[in-house]
Amino acid sequence: MNIKDAARASGLPAKTIRYYEQIGLVVPSRRANGYRDFSETDVHNLAFVARARALGFSIEDCHALLALYQDKSRASADVKAIAQRHLDEIEAKIRDLSEMRDTLSELVLACRGNHRPDCPILASMSGAGESGNSEA
Amino acid sequence: MNIKDAARASGLPAKTIRYYEQIGLVVPSRRANGYRDFSETDVHNLAFVARARALGFSIEDCHALLALYQDKSRASADVKAIAQRHLDEIEAKIRDLSEMRDTLSELVLACRGNHRPDCPILASMSGAGESGNSEA
DNA sequence: TTAGGGGTTCCAGTTGCTGGAAGGTCAAGA
DNA sequence: TCTTGACCTTCCAGCAACTGGAACCCCTAA
């Protein structure tokens, strides 16, 4: 199977597939003319990676997950550990972003958004309420 | 003020401050010996950027916000527009991450995490429940 | 004089692709 | 047989926002 068909079958851009080969994630065989030749397994592995990436796993994690997937004597604990760690990171990121959202939405709400220059958003970033005695 | 003091005062690493100068965000003057010489305004601007970055604004946004901050005849509407767009992006990101978290936490919960190979996490990524007739 | 703790520049690496240039290959139609 | 166009190949550069490190200069104090 040529790269374009592998791309269609896996849902990944051809460029991305070449990149994945380059970093050793999914390495198809080659035909005599130098063209990549993707097996069903290659395509399946690409789709596997695509789904893992969609869940936010890093390439490194995808590497490890793919290895575990192919290791029929794996322990599911190893898979779970990777997923749990990743889940923790996602939750941490959600917390960070939620804090930003809370602060930002307050500021946006407070800003009149008119033709005048006074703006609580800029005030906040310029250090308003810094050393605690500005409005005490 | 030397870069190390500017770093301490602004809360940014010296490396980052040099980078910000390189991209034209905050450009201090130079002494005869080639050392950067940070004014109070420079440090204030660096702290401004640090706070904007902490709210997740891109460097490009920081550029624009800093320009508005320095433009005393600005319209707060321009600031608000930038902040609102950024807020929308953050909320979109939170939605994406929350979806990942929901899927992942289900999978992690379902995985026994023992010495045996069977694993719903891998099953999910290998395409379980793909074409809709597997458990209908 | 020497040691140390500054400062400087520039280059490379990070993550995960993506775009583009330059060129080889293949199948089909005139 | 030649050409056209769609494919394929490699390699290089760039994105965001730094960060680490090498190699080197400067300044002060003992």
Side-chain angles (χ1 to χ4, degrees):
Chain A
M1 191 186 294
N2 274 354
I3 197 167
K4 216 188 182 191
D5 296 316
R8 204 174 8 226
S10 66
L12 289 168
K15 272 272 180 188
T16 301
I17 294 176
R18 286 195 196 97
Y19 171 69
Y20 286 171
E21 183 196 36
Q22 190 188 319
I23 60 173
L25 197 49
V26 173
V27 181
S29 57
R30 297 284 182 141
R31 300 222 197 101
N33 61 8
Y35 284 21
R36 289 170 182 83
D37 189 10
F38 294 85
S39 68
E40 289 302 318
T41 302
D42 291 331
V43 169
H44 191 80
N45 287 345
L46 286 171
F48 180 99
V49 172
R51 288 192 201 92
R53 293 286 301 135
L55 285 177
F57 284 101
S58 70
I59 292 286
E60 200 187 339
D61 281 347
C62 289
H63 232 326
L65 290 170
L66 205 48
L68 285 167
Y69 179 53
Q70 281 153 1
D71 175 9
K72 294 310 175 195
S73 71
R74 68 184 164 253
S76 68
D78 293 341
V79 180
K80 186 168 181 168
I82 293 173
Q84 181 65 61
R85 192 179 32 67
H86 179 48
L87 181 54
D88 292 346
E89 286 167 8
I90 285 179
E91 283 173 343
K93 206 170 290 180
I94 289 176
R95 278 193 299 277
D96 287 353
L97 287 171
S98 298
E99 252 188 70
M100 287 184 195
R101 180 201 49 199
D102 294 347
T103 305
L104 258 177
S105 62
E106 263 184 49
L107 291 173
V108 165
L109 205 65
C111 176
R112 326 281 284 237
N114 57 18
H115 64 287
R116 288 196 298 142
D118 56 297
C119 174
I121 301 168
L122 292 181
S124 161
M125 295 196 299
S126 88
E130 182 97 307
S131 45
N133 61 345
S134 56
E135 44 181 330
Chain B
M1 192 188 292
N2 274 354
I3 197 166
K4 215 186 181 192
D5 297 315
R8 203 174 10 225
S10 66
L12 290 167
K15 272 271 179 192
T16 300
I17 294 176
R18 286 196 197 95
Y19 171 69
Y20 286 171
E21 183 196 35
Q22 190 188 318
I23 61 173
L25 197 50
V26 174
V27 181
S29 57
R30 297 283 182 141
R31 300 224 197 99
N33 62 7
Y35 285 21
R36 290 170 183 81
D37 189 10
F38 294 85
S39 68
E40 289 302 318
T41 303
D42 291 331
V43 170
H44 191 80
N45 287 345
L46 285 172
F48 180 99
V49 171
R51 288 191 201 94
R53 293 286 300 135
L55 286 176
F57 284 101
S58 69
I59 293 285
E60 200 188 338
D61 281 347
C62 289
H63 232 325
L65 290 170
L66 206 47
L68 285 167
Y69 179 54
Q70 282 154 359
D71 175 8
K72 294 309 175 196
S73 71
R74 68 184 164 253
S76 68
D78 292 342
V79 180
K80 186 168 182 170
I82 293 173
Q84 181 65 61
R85 191 178 34 67
H86 179 48
L87 181 54
D88 292 346
E89 285 166 9
I90 285 179
E91 284 173 343
K93 207 169 290 180
I94 289 175
R95 278 193 299 277
D96 287 354
L97 287 171
S98 298
E99 253 188 70
M100 288 182 195
R101 179 200 52 199
D102 294 347
T103 304
L104 259 176
S105 62
E106 264 184 50
L107 291 173
V108 165
L109 205 65
C111 177
R112 326 279 284 236
N114 57 20
H115 63 288
R116 288 197 298 143
D118 55 297
C119 174
I121 301 168
L122 292 181
S124 160
M125 294 197 298
S126 86
E130 182 97 307
S131 45
N133 62 345
S134 56
E135 45 181 328

